[in-house]
Amino acid sequence: MIDTSVIPAEISRGVLLAGAGVSGRGVLGMLQQVGVTCIVADDSEENREFAERTWGVRAVDTQLAHEYFGEVGVVVTSPGWRPDTPLLVDAASAQLDVIGDVELCYRLDRAGVFGPPREWLVVTGTNGKTTTTGMLAAMMQEASSRTGKRALACGNIGTAVADAVADPQRVDVLVAELSSFQLHWSSQLVPNAAVLLNLADDHIDWHGSFEAYAAAKAKVLKAPNAVVGIDDEHVQAIVAQNDRKQFFGFTLGQPEEGQVGVIDGKLVARRDGSVLELADTNGIEPAGAAGVLDAGAAAAVALLCGVTPSEIREALAGFHVAGHRGAVVHEANGVRWIDNSKATNPHAADSALTGAGTVVWVAGGQLKGAAIDEVVEKHVGHMRAVALLGVDRMEIYDAVKRLAPDLPIFATDSTDPEVAMDAVARFAGEHAQPGDSVVLAPAAASLDMYPGMSARGDAFRAAARRHFSLQ
């Protein structure tokens, strides 16, 4: 039951929506549902026409939008719009509150517009967000038969937050994967529980500095139940600077009190003086250190939310990794082919390669200025060979040659996505030996050659199956 009488005053005065793309359209639908006047600002004529045709709202370009500042109480921006966008800078100068779509949803939910406020569980970090969110949602769903609370993964995974909040079939627990963009544009958002997984250079061009990027992510630590990745040096630094000194942690090592970790191949938690066994690490998907860390993070949040160890165990047993995040996509001749195309930066590639055994590494794409030496130096000792493609392949090639001059390495000059992937797959399969894994962990973005990281992963799987059949 929607209660429009409790809509916060700044929202009820009207909203200027900056951007009518995918996330903006979800916001438009929700605002229409609660009867809030909305003006759309977008320089895309197609988006403006869509908004006018579908919702009957006024839609203008960003220059003309300045004239409507006096008619609204808040500006809601799509998460991709940079902080230095003139419209947003001018709106803030005009004393308008500039917020994101998630912040809007949180304010409406907390006000009780869509019934009693929901439980918000937020997952953020540079890498592992989607897997951790999926695991945590599975744990909360496993507990739902006992608690009666319906849980749903949302945000940048599955359902948009706006759709989840406004769902006529009530969602009681929002398990939200949030980006640094969404968190940057938040001010009142305080989740019931949250986890900061890790931090590494990413989206620096958008935020302006690593410090600003980290500060956006660290906003989730305002949650009364906050979980942190204690193995990550940047997260450790954030925690050390935080006035609050008590955080629940997760680690690949043996856990101390108030932590989830690993003892004798078991994922366990130390809490209130007891050791709680949660799962066998060998059964966690995706296999390897990254999967165990994600499971530990999700389990820590779940425990703080009242989920039992047996419910965590059952959830992890039934959990299967989302596409392009460490799934085994082919096996032939004793070699596993692992698609981690989602590893679009060096930090993610490091996670994908850790614990993977002896590998042939398939990498390359758009490095976006990220340094690659640290990943190469850390993992060349268990590499059989390296196969490279993409616009910045030679930067990785040079690092490998410098740090491991005797390691077999191949770089294709082809810019045709299928031809290039075929070439690296043939090289990788010819050098891999039984027991090895061929791991696509590009350490780079995909848009130089592919429509997205999913297409790159699909090409990798297709090439492996095309050239190396089961024997």
PDB file of all heavy atoms in Angstrom, residues 44-80:
ATOM      1  N   SER A  44      20.174  13.403 -25.030  1.00  0.00           N
ATOM      2  CA  SER A  44      19.799  12.433 -26.051  1.00  0.00           C
ATOM      3  C   SER A  44      18.355  12.671 -26.474  1.00  0.00           C
ATOM      4  O   SER A  44      17.431  12.530 -25.660  1.00  0.00           O
ATOM      5  CB  SER A  44      19.948  10.999 -25.517  1.00  0.00           C
ATOM      6  OG  SER A  44      19.258  10.077 -26.341  1.00  0.00           O
ATOM      7  N   GLU A  45      18.170  13.010 -27.727  1.00  0.00           N
ATOM      8  CA  GLU A  45      16.810  13.246 -28.226  1.00  0.00           C
ATOM      9  C   GLU A  45      15.965  11.981 -28.119  1.00  0.00           C
ATOM     10  O   GLU A  45      14.772  12.039 -27.795  1.00  0.00           O
ATOM     11  CB  GLU A  45      16.871  13.723 -29.679  1.00  0.00           C
ATOM     12  CG  GLU A  45      15.508  14.085 -30.253  1.00  0.00           C
ATOM     13  CD  GLU A  45      15.609  14.629 -31.673  1.00  0.00           C
ATOM     14  OE1 GLU A  45      16.735  14.839 -32.160  1.00  0.00           O
ATOM     15  OE2 GLU A  45      14.545  14.843 -32.293  1.00  0.00           O
ATOM     16  N   GLU A  46      16.590  10.840 -28.348  1.00  0.00           N
ATOM     17  CA  GLU A  46      15.870   9.567 -28.251  1.00  0.00           C
ATOM     18  C   GLU A  46      15.337   9.340 -26.835  1.00  0.00           C
ATOM     19  O   GLU A  46      14.183   8.946 -26.642  1.00  0.00           O
ATOM     20  CB  GLU A  46      16.803   8.414 -28.647  1.00  0.00           C
ATOM     21  CG  GLU A  46      16.152   7.038 -28.551  1.00  0.00           C
ATOM     22  CD  GLU A  46      17.126   5.917 -28.864  1.00  0.00           C
ATOM     23  OE1 GLU A  46      18.266   6.212 -29.290  1.00  0.00           O
ATOM     24  OE2 GLU A  46      16.766   4.744 -28.664  1.00  0.00           O
ATOM     25  N   ASN A  47      16.186   9.609 -25.825  1.00  0.00           N
ATOM     26  CA  ASN A  47      15.752   9.436 -24.436  1.00  0.00           C
ATOM     27  C   ASN A  47      14.645  10.414 -24.064  1.00  0.00           C
ATOM     28  O   ASN A  47      13.698  10.065 -23.348  1.00  0.00           O
ATOM     29  CB  ASN A  47      16.934   9.601 -23.483  1.00  0.00           C
ATOM     30  CG  ASN A  47      17.864   8.398 -23.489  1.00  0.00           C
ATOM     31  OD1 ASN A  47      17.530   7.350 -24.042  1.00  0.00           O
ATOM     32  ND2 ASN A  47      19.032   8.553 -22.886  1.00  0.00           N
ATOM     33  N   ARG A  48      14.766  11.657 -24.539  1.00  0.00           N
ATOM     34  CA  ARG A  48      13.733  12.659 -24.237  1.00  0.00           C
ATOM     35  C   ARG A  48      12.396  12.243 -24.848  1.00  0.00           C
ATOM     36  O   ARG A  48      11.347  12.321 -24.197  1.00  0.00           O
ATOM     37  CB  ARG A  48      14.154  14.045 -24.743  1.00  0.00           C
ATOM     38  CG  ARG A  48      15.341  14.647 -24.027  1.00  0.00           C
ATOM     39  CD  ARG A  48      15.412  16.154 -24.263  1.00  0.00           C
ATOM     40  NE  ARG A  48      15.467  16.522 -25.676  1.00  0.00           N
ATOM     41  CZ  ARG A  48      16.574  16.639 -26.393  1.00  0.00           C
ATOM     42  NH1 ARG A  48      17.749  16.388 -25.813  1.00  0.00           N
ATOM     43  NH2 ARG A  48      16.537  16.998 -27.655  1.00  0.00           N
ATOM     44  N   GLU A  49      12.448  11.812 -26.107  1.00  0.00           N
ATOM     45  CA  GLU A  49      11.210  11.401 -26.780  1.00  0.00           C
ATOM     46  C   GLU A  49      10.585  10.196 -26.084  1.00  0.00           C
ATOM     47  O   GLU A  49       9.357  10.113 -25.937  1.00  0.00           O
ATOM     48  CB  GLU A  49      11.499  11.081 -28.254  1.00  0.00           C
ATOM     49  CG  GLU A  49      11.809  12.315 -29.090  1.00  0.00           C
ATOM     50  CD  GLU A  49      12.125  11.957 -30.526  1.00  0.00           C
ATOM     51  OE1 GLU A  49      12.220  10.742 -30.831  1.00  0.00           O
ATOM     52  OE2 GLU A  49      12.261  12.882 -31.351  1.00  0.00           O
ATOM     53  N   PHE A  50      11.431   9.264 -25.641  1.00  0.00           N
ATOM     54  CA  PHE A  50      10.919   8.087 -24.941  1.00  0.00           C
ATOM     55  C   PHE A  50      10.217   8.494 -23.650  1.00  0.00           C
ATOM     56  O   PHE A  50       9.123   8.007 -23.340  1.00  0.00           O
ATOM     57  CB  PHE A  50      12.061   7.118 -24.640  1.00  0.00           C
ATOM     58  CG  PHE A  50      11.614   5.827 -23.989  1.00  0.00           C
ATOM     59  CD1 PHE A  50      11.261   4.734 -24.764  1.00  0.00           C
ATOM     60  CD2 PHE A  50      11.542   5.716 -22.607  1.00  0.00           C
ATOM     61  CE1 PHE A  50      10.828   3.549 -24.167  1.00  0.00           C
ATOM     62  CE2 PHE A  50      11.126   4.549 -21.994  1.00  0.00           C
ATOM     63  CZ  PHE A  50      10.770   3.451 -22.786  1.00  0.00           C
ATOM     64  N   ALA A  51      10.836   9.387 -22.888  1.00  0.00           N
ATOM     65  CA  ALA A  51      10.259   9.822 -21.618  1.00  0.00           C
ATOM     66  C   ALA A  51       8.936  10.541 -21.837  1.00  0.00           C
ATOM     67  O   ALA A  51       7.955  10.322 -21.110  1.00  0.00           O
ATOM     68  CB  ALA A  51      11.241  10.728 -20.886  1.00  0.00           C
ATOM     69  N   GLU A  52       8.890  11.407 -22.840  1.00  0.00           N
ATOM     70  CA  GLU A  52       7.657  12.145 -23.113  1.00  0.00           C
ATOM     71  C   GLU A  52       6.547  11.218 -23.592  1.00  0.00           C
ATOM     72  O   GLU A  52       5.394  11.327 -23.165  1.00  0.00           O
ATOM     73  CB  GLU A  52       7.926  13.229 -24.163  1.00  0.00           C
ATOM     74  CG  GLU A  52       8.787  14.368 -23.654  1.00  0.00           C
ATOM     75  CD  GLU A  52       9.116  15.378 -24.747  1.00  0.00           C
ATOM     76  OE1 GLU A  52       9.068  15.001 -25.947  1.00  0.00           O
ATOM     77  OE2 GLU A  52       9.430  16.529 -24.402  1.00  0.00           O
ATOM     78  N   ARG A  53       6.918  10.289 -24.484  1.00  0.00           N
ATOM     79  CA  ARG A  53       5.928   9.386 -25.071  1.00  0.00           C
ATOM     80  C   ARG A  53       5.396   8.381 -24.049  1.00  0.00           C
ATOM     81  O   ARG A  53       4.206   8.087 -23.996  1.00  0.00           O
ATOM     82  CB  ARG A  53       6.556   8.649 -26.260  1.00  0.00           C
ATOM     83  CG  ARG A  53       5.599   7.721 -26.997  1.00  0.00           C
ATOM     84  CD  ARG A  53       6.255   7.136 -28.226  1.00  0.00           C
ATOM     85  NE  ARG A  53       7.382   6.260 -27.897  1.00  0.00           N
ATOM     86  CZ  ARG A  53       8.652   6.561 -28.102  1.00  0.00           C
ATOM     87  NH1 ARG A  53       8.985   7.733 -28.634  1.00  0.00           N
ATOM     88  NH2 ARG A  53       9.612   5.712 -27.784  1.00  0.00           N
ATOM     89  N   THR A  54       6.295   7.846 -23.207  1.00  0.00           N
ATOM     90  CA  THR A  54       5.919   6.773 -22.289  1.00  0.00           C
ATOM     91  C   THR A  54       5.259   7.285 -21.025  1.00  0.00           C
ATOM     92  O   THR A  54       4.292   6.700 -20.526  1.00  0.00           O
ATOM     93  CB  THR A  54       7.161   5.938 -21.926  1.00  0.00           C
ATOM     94  OG1 THR A  54       7.797   5.498 -23.135  1.00  0.00           O
ATOM     95  CG2 THR A  54       6.776   4.720 -21.092  1.00  0.00           C
ATOM     96  N   TRP A  55       5.786   8.384 -20.480  1.00  0.00           N
ATOM     97  CA  TRP A  55       5.290   8.860 -19.184  1.00  0.00           C
ATOM     98  C   TRP A  55       4.598  10.229 -19.247  1.00  0.00           C
ATOM     99  O   TRP A  55       4.054  10.695 -18.258  1.00  0.00           O
ATOM    100  CB  TRP A  55       6.432   8.924 -18.175  1.00  0.00           C
ATOM    101  CG  TRP A  55       6.826   7.569 -17.665  1.00  0.00           C
ATOM    102  CD1 TRP A  55       6.162   6.791 -16.751  1.00  0.00           C
ATOM    103  CD2 TRP A  55       7.963   6.821 -18.057  1.00  0.00           C
ATOM    104  NE1 TRP A  55       6.821   5.610 -16.556  1.00  0.00           N
ATOM    105  CE2 TRP A  55       7.946   5.591 -17.343  1.00  0.00           C
ATOM    106  CE3 TRP A  55       9.013   7.046 -18.952  1.00  0.00           C
ATOM    107  CZ2 TRP A  55       8.916   4.620 -17.485  1.00  0.00           C
ATOM    108  CZ3 TRP A  55       9.984   6.079 -19.101  1.00  0.00           C
ATOM    109  CH2 TRP A  55       9.931   4.875 -18.377  1.00  0.00           C
ATOM    110  N   GLY A  56       4.662  10.877 -20.407  1.00  0.00           N
ATOM    111  CA  GLY A  56       4.004  12.175 -20.532  1.00  0.00           C
ATOM    112  C   GLY A  56       4.658  13.275 -19.723  1.00  0.00           C
ATOM    113  O   GLY A  56       4.005  14.266 -19.368  1.00  0.00           O
ATOM    114  N   VAL A  57       5.956  13.133 -19.426  1.00  0.00           N
ATOM    115  CA  VAL A  57       6.649  14.148 -18.633  1.00  0.00           C
ATOM    116  C   VAL A  57       7.313  15.171 -19.556  1.00  0.00           C
ATOM    117  O   VAL A  57       7.500  14.940 -20.749  1.00  0.00           O
ATOM    118  CB  VAL A  57       7.734  13.507 -17.729  1.00  0.00           C
ATOM    119  CG1 VAL A  57       7.097  12.537 -16.756  1.00  0.00           C
ATOM    120  CG2 VAL A  57       8.799  12.800 -18.566  1.00  0.00           C
ATOM    121  N   ARG A  58       7.664  16.312 -18.983  1.00  0.00           N
ATOM    122  CA  ARG A  58       8.417  17.324 -19.703  1.00  0.00           C
ATOM    123  C   ARG A  58       9.868  16.868 -19.798  1.00  0.00           C
ATOM    124  O   ARG A  58      10.471  16.456 -18.806  1.00  0.00           O
ATOM    125  CB  ARG A  58       8.332  18.647 -18.954  1.00  0.00           C
ATOM    126  CG  ARG A  58       8.728  19.876 -19.762  1.00  0.00           C
ATOM    127  CD  ARG A  58       8.584  21.128 -18.928  1.00  0.00           C
ATOM    128  NE  ARG A  58       7.498  21.045 -17.960  1.00  0.00           N
ATOM    129  CZ  ARG A  58       7.332  21.886 -16.961  1.00  0.00           C
ATOM    130  NH1 ARG A  58       8.162  22.898 -16.788  1.00  0.00           N
ATOM    131  NH2 ARG A  58       6.326  21.748 -16.120  1.00  0.00           N
ATOM    132  N   ALA A  59      10.472  16.921 -20.987  1.00  0.00           N
ATOM    133  CA  ALA A  59      11.860  16.487 -21.181  1.00  0.00           C
ATOM    134  C   ALA A  59      12.610  17.543 -21.978  1.00  0.00           C
ATOM    135  O   ALA A  59      12.165  17.947 -23.057  1.00  0.00           O
ATOM    136  CB  ALA A  59      11.904  15.142 -21.903  1.00  0.00           C
ATOM    137  N   VAL A  60      13.748  17.988 -21.430  1.00  0.00           N
ATOM    138  CA  VAL A  60      14.524  19.071 -22.037  1.00  0.00           C
ATOM    139  C   VAL A  60      15.998  18.686 -22.073  1.00  0.00           C
ATOM    140  O   VAL A  60      16.423  17.723 -21.431  1.00  0.00           O
ATOM    141  CB  VAL A  60      14.354  20.384 -21.240  1.00  0.00           C
ATOM    142  CG1 VAL A  60      12.894  20.825 -21.247  1.00  0.00           C
ATOM    143  CG2 VAL A  60      14.843  20.203 -19.799  1.00  0.00           C
ATOM    144  N   ASP A  61      16.794  19.448 -22.820  1.00  0.00           N
ATOM    145  CA  ASP A  61      18.229  19.191 -22.811  1.00  0.00           C
ATOM    146  C   ASP A  61      18.847  19.785 -21.541  1.00  0.00           C
ATOM    147  O   ASP A  61      18.190  20.518 -20.796  1.00  0.00           O
ATOM    148  CB  ASP A  61      18.904  19.720 -24.078  1.00  0.00           C
ATOM    149  CG  ASP A  61      18.785  21.236 -24.260  1.00  0.00           C
ATOM    150  OD1 ASP A  61      18.790  21.962 -23.240  1.00  0.00           O
ATOM    151  OD2 ASP A  61      18.702  21.691 -25.411  1.00  0.00           O
ATOM    152  N   THR A  62      20.111  19.466 -21.295  1.00  0.00           N
ATOM    153  CA  THR A  62      20.723  19.852 -20.020  1.00  0.00           C
ATOM    154  C   THR A  62      20.911  21.362 -19.900  1.00  0.00           C
ATOM    155  O   THR A  62      20.954  21.895 -18.782  1.00  0.00           O
ATOM    156  CB  THR A  62      22.075  19.138 -19.829  1.00  0.00           C
ATOM    157  OG1 THR A  62      22.928  19.408 -20.955  1.00  0.00           O
ATOM    158  CG2 THR A  62      21.876  17.632 -19.701  1.00  0.00           C
ATOM    159  N   GLN A  63      21.034  22.044 -21.023  1.00  0.00           N
ATOM    160  CA  GLN A  63      21.192  23.491 -20.953  1.00  0.00           C
ATOM    161  C   GLN A  63      19.883  24.160 -20.533  1.00  0.00           C
ATOM    162  O   GLN A  63      19.845  25.002 -19.632  1.00  0.00           O
ATOM    163  CB  GLN A  63      21.653  24.050 -22.314  1.00  0.00           C
ATOM    164  CG  GLN A  63      22.052  25.516 -22.275  1.00  0.00           C
ATOM    165  CD  GLN A  63      23.188  25.802 -21.294  1.00  0.00           C
ATOM    166  OE1 GLN A  63      24.173  25.070 -21.238  1.00  0.00           O
ATOM    167  NE2 GLN A  63      23.032  26.861 -20.509  1.00  0.00           N
ATOM    168  N   LEU A  64      18.795  23.734 -21.158  1.00  0.00           N
ATOM    169  CA  LEU A  64      17.492  24.301 -20.831  1.00  0.00           C
ATOM    170  C   LEU A  64      17.044  23.903 -19.423  1.00  0.00           C
ATOM    171  O   LEU A  64      16.267  24.619 -18.776  1.00  0.00           O
ATOM    172  CB  LEU A  64      16.457  23.838 -21.861  1.00  0.00           C
ATOM    173  CG  LEU A  64      15.070  24.484 -21.803  1.00  0.00           C
ATOM    174  CD1 LEU A  64      15.166  26.004 -21.969  1.00  0.00           C
ATOM    175  CD2 LEU A  64      14.155  23.882 -22.867  1.00  0.00           C
ATOM    176  N   ALA A  65      17.550  22.783 -18.932  1.00  0.00           N
ATOM    177  CA  ALA A  65      17.126  22.279 -17.613  1.00  0.00           C
ATOM    178  C   ALA A  65      17.408  23.272 -16.493  1.00  0.00           C
ATOM    179  O   ALA A  65      16.721  23.277 -15.464  1.00  0.00           O
ATOM    180  CB  ALA A  65      17.837  20.954 -17.318  1.00  0.00           C
ATOM    181  N   HIS A  66      18.421  24.128 -16.679  1.00  0.00           N
ATOM    182  CA  HIS A  66      18.739  25.119 -15.649  1.00  0.00           C
ATOM    183  C   HIS A  66      17.540  26.015 -15.322  1.00  0.00           C
ATOM    184  O   HIS A  66      17.404  26.502 -14.193  1.00  0.00           O
ATOM    185  CB  HIS A  66      19.910  26.003 -16.103  1.00  0.00           C
ATOM    186  CG  HIS A  66      21.233  25.290 -16.154  1.00  0.00           C
ATOM    187  ND1 HIS A  66      21.528  24.335 -17.095  1.00  0.00           N
ATOM    188  CD2 HIS A  66      22.333  25.409 -15.359  1.00  0.00           C
ATOM    189  CE1 HIS A  66      22.758  23.902 -16.895  1.00  0.00           C
ATOM    190  NE2 HIS A  66      23.269  24.530 -15.848  1.00  0.00           N
ATOM    191  N   GLU A  67      16.682  26.222 -16.286  1.00  0.00           N
ATOM    192  CA  GLU A  67      15.545  27.117 -16.091  1.00  0.00           C
ATOM    193  C   GLU A  67      14.492  26.537 -15.154  1.00  0.00           C
ATOM    194  O   GLU A  67      13.584  27.251 -14.718  1.00  0.00           O
ATOM    195  CB  GLU A  67      14.910  27.447 -17.445  1.00  0.00           C
ATOM    196  CG  GLU A  67      15.847  28.171 -18.403  1.00  0.00           C
ATOM    197  CD  GLU A  67      15.174  28.529 -19.723  1.00  0.00           C
ATOM    198  OE1 GLU A  67      13.915  28.394 -19.797  1.00  0.00           O
ATOM    199  OE2 GLU A  67      15.887  28.929 -20.661  1.00  0.00           O
ATOM    200  N   TYR A  68      14.605  25.245 -14.862  1.00  0.00           N
ATOM    201  CA  TYR A  68      13.586  24.580 -14.043  1.00  0.00           C
ATOM    202  C   TYR A  68      14.054  24.309 -12.618  1.00  0.00           C
ATOM    203  O   TYR A  68      13.364  23.627 -11.861  1.00  0.00           O
ATOM    204  CB  TYR A  68      13.161  23.270 -14.713  1.00  0.00           C
ATOM    205  CG  TYR A  68      12.485  23.478 -16.047  1.00  0.00           C
ATOM    206  CD1 TYR A  68      13.221  23.400 -17.226  1.00  0.00           C
ATOM    207  CD2 TYR A  68      11.131  23.797 -16.118  1.00  0.00           C
ATOM    208  CE1 TYR A  68      12.610  23.608 -18.459  1.00  0.00           C
ATOM    209  CE2 TYR A  68      10.519  24.006 -17.341  1.00  0.00           C
ATOM    210  CZ  TYR A  68      11.265  23.908 -18.509  1.00  0.00           C
ATOM    211  OH  TYR A  68      10.652  24.130 -19.717  1.00  0.00           O
ATOM    212  N   PHE A  69      15.206  24.853 -12.240  1.00  0.00           N
ATOM    213  CA  PHE A  69      15.705  24.633 -10.883  1.00  0.00           C
ATOM    214  C   PHE A  69      14.692  25.099  -9.827  1.00  0.00           C
ATOM    215  O   PHE A  69      14.576  24.496  -8.766  1.00  0.00           O
ATOM    216  CB  PHE A  69      17.027  25.384 -10.668  1.00  0.00           C
ATOM    217  CG  PHE A  69      18.227  24.715 -11.294  1.00  0.00           C
ATOM    218  CD1 PHE A  69      19.467  25.358 -11.298  1.00  0.00           C
ATOM    219  CD2 PHE A  69      18.139  23.451 -11.859  1.00  0.00           C
ATOM    220  CE1 PHE A  69      20.589  24.757 -11.866  1.00  0.00           C
ATOM    221  CE2 PHE A  69      19.251  22.841 -12.431  1.00  0.00           C
ATOM    222  CZ  PHE A  69      20.478  23.498 -12.436  1.00  0.00           C
ATOM    223  N   GLY A  70      13.974  26.167 -10.120  1.00  0.00           N
ATOM    224  CA  GLY A  70      13.034  26.708  -9.148  1.00  0.00           C
ATOM    225  C   GLY A  70      11.759  25.890  -9.001  1.00  0.00           C
ATOM    226  O   GLY A  70      10.960  26.144  -8.092  1.00  0.00           O
ATOM    227  N   GLU A  71      11.559  24.904  -9.888  1.00  0.00           N
ATOM    228  CA  GLU A  71      10.320  24.124  -9.872  1.00  0.00           C
ATOM    229  C   GLU A  71      10.484  22.759  -9.193  1.00  0.00           C
ATOM    230  O   GLU A  71       9.528  21.986  -9.133  1.00  0.00           O
ATOM    231  CB  GLU A  71       9.805  23.913 -11.305  1.00  0.00           C
ATOM    232  CG  GLU A  71       9.429  25.212 -12.004  1.00  0.00           C
ATOM    233  CD  GLU A  71       8.836  24.971 -13.385  1.00  0.00           C
ATOM    234  OE1 GLU A  71       8.320  23.847 -13.614  1.00  0.00           O
ATOM    235  OE2 GLU A  71       8.897  25.882 -14.226  1.00  0.00           O
ATOM    236  N   VAL A  72      11.683  22.474  -8.714  1.00  0.00           N
ATOM    237  CA  VAL A  72      11.929  21.150  -8.129  1.00  0.00           C
ATOM    238  C   VAL A  72      12.623  21.298  -6.775  1.00  0.00           C
ATOM    239  O   VAL A  72      13.161  22.354  -6.446  1.00  0.00           O
ATOM    240  CB  VAL A  72      12.798  20.272  -9.067  1.00  0.00           C
ATOM    241  CG1 VAL A  72      12.106  20.054 -10.401  1.00  0.00           C
ATOM    242  CG2 VAL A  72      14.188  20.884  -9.266  1.00  0.00           C
ATOM    243  N   GLY A  73      12.590  20.209  -6.004  1.00  0.00           N
ATOM    244  CA  GLY A  73      13.241  20.217  -4.702  1.00  0.00           C
ATOM    245  C   GLY A  73      14.501  19.394  -4.649  1.00  0.00           C
ATOM    246  O   GLY A  73      15.295  19.500  -3.701  1.00  0.00           O
ATOM    247  N   VAL A  74      14.725  18.556  -5.675  1.00  0.00           N
ATOM    248  CA  VAL A  74      15.888  17.679  -5.668  1.00  0.00           C
ATOM    249  C   VAL A  74      16.234  17.298  -7.104  1.00  0.00           C
ATOM    250  O   VAL A  74      15.357  17.248  -7.973  1.00  0.00           O
ATOM    251  CB  VAL A  74      15.604  16.409  -4.815  1.00  0.00           C
ATOM    252  CG1 VAL A  74      14.523  15.545  -5.442  1.00  0.00           C
ATOM    253  CG2 VAL A  74      16.865  15.587  -4.582  1.00  0.00           C
ATOM    254  N   VAL A  75      17.525  17.064  -7.335  1.00  0.00           N
ATOM    255  CA  VAL A  75      17.995  16.547  -8.622  1.00  0.00           C
ATOM    256  C   VAL A  75      18.420  15.106  -8.402  1.00  0.00           C
ATOM    257  O   VAL A  75      19.223  14.815  -7.505  1.00  0.00           O
ATOM    258  CB  VAL A  75      19.176  17.370  -9.170  1.00  0.00           C
ATOM    259  CG1 VAL A  75      19.726  16.736 -10.455  1.00  0.00           C
ATOM    260  CG2 VAL A  75      18.751  18.805  -9.429  1.00  0.00           C
ATOM    261  N   VAL A  76      17.883  14.191  -9.211  1.00  0.00           N
ATOM    262  CA  VAL A  76      18.263  12.780  -9.134  1.00  0.00           C
ATOM    263  C   VAL A  76      19.055  12.450 -10.386  1.00  0.00           C
ATOM    264  O   VAL A  76      18.541  12.558 -11.506  1.00  0.00           O
ATOM    265  CB  VAL A  76      17.031  11.863  -9.025  1.00  0.00           C
ATOM    266  CG1 VAL A  76      17.458  10.404  -9.029  1.00  0.00           C
ATOM    267  CG2 VAL A  76      16.246  12.180  -7.756  1.00  0.00           C
ATOM    268  N   THR A  77      20.311  12.078 -10.214  1.00  0.00           N
ATOM    269  CA  THR A  77      21.185  11.818 -11.354  1.00  0.00           C
ATOM    270  C   THR A  77      21.377  10.330 -11.592  1.00  0.00           C
ATOM    271  O   THR A  77      21.400   9.533 -10.654  1.00  0.00           O
ATOM    272  CB  THR A  77      22.560  12.480 -11.155  1.00  0.00           C
ATOM    273  OG1 THR A  77      23.406  12.154 -12.276  1.00  0.00           O
ATOM    274  CG2 THR A  77      23.242  11.999  -9.880  1.00  0.00           C
ATOM    275  N   SER A  78      21.511   9.980 -12.854  1.00  0.00           N
ATOM    276  CA  SER A  78      21.915   8.618 -13.189  1.00  0.00           C
ATOM    277  C   SER A  78      23.336   8.412 -12.661  1.00  0.00           C
ATOM    278  O   SER A  78      24.147   9.344 -12.660  1.00  0.00           O
ATOM    279  CB  SER A  78      21.881   8.406 -14.700  1.00  0.00           C
ATOM    280  OG  SER A  78      20.553   8.514 -15.181  1.00  0.00           O
ATOM    281  N   PRO A  79      23.675   7.177 -12.210  1.00  0.00           N
ATOM    282  CA  PRO A  79      24.961   6.974 -11.534  1.00  0.00           C
ATOM    283  C   PRO A  79      26.181   7.264 -12.398  1.00  0.00           C
ATOM    284  O   PRO A  79      27.233   7.620 -11.871  1.00  0.00           O
ATOM    285  CB  PRO A  79      24.906   5.499 -11.116  1.00  0.00           C
ATOM    286  CG  PRO A  79      23.806   4.881 -11.901  1.00  0.00           C
ATOM    287  CD  PRO A  79      22.836   5.965 -12.186  1.00  0.00           C
ATOM    288  N   GLY A  80      26.049   7.144 -13.720  1.00  0.00           N
ATOM    289  CA  GLY A  80      27.216   7.363 -14.570  1.00  0.00           C
ATOM    290  C   GLY A  80      27.590   8.813 -14.783  1.00  0.00           C
ATOM    291  O   GLY A  80      28.677   9.109 -15.277  1.00  0.00           O
TER     292      GLY A  80
END
